[in-house]
Amino acid sequence: MTPTATLLPLLWLASPALPVGAFSYSEGLEAAVDDGWVHDERSAGDWIVDQLHLSVARAELPVIARACLAARSGDATALRLLDDWVHHSRESAELRLQTEQIGHGVWAWLEALGAR
């Protein structure tokens, strides 16, 4: 594939039309702005890096890595267990719904790519 052809699917993933990530959910950024923790470009960058280090790198990425291994090996039981863990790790119904909506968005993206 050409660089342009490989870039297009990534741009779809980053599109605000697809309900994933920060385009749909701020993970508390509005509250951080309201409280004055985020007030300029530097503090916004610091806040984003903290979110990546404190939640994404410690919880989301390890689960994704294990899910990829389970999917490649056809281990449906491991995938169900990981799904259950993620579902139960969300502190509220709203966070569970957010996670489910993001998952549906990623699924739709993969279907559009023919990767499913």
Side-chain angles (χ1 to χ4, degrees), residues 32-69:
V33 170
D34 287 344
D35 290 341
W37 301 342
V38 175
H39 48 81
D40 59 13
E41 183 178 345
R42 184 179 191 143
S43 60
D46 291 344
W47 188 87
I48 292 167
V49 168
D50 283 348
Q51 295 304 306
L52 291 171
H53 286 149
L54 297 173
S55 64
V56 175
R58 293 182 181 191
E60 308 294 331
L61 290 179
V63 170
I64 291 169
R66 292 179 75 182
C68 287
L69 291 172

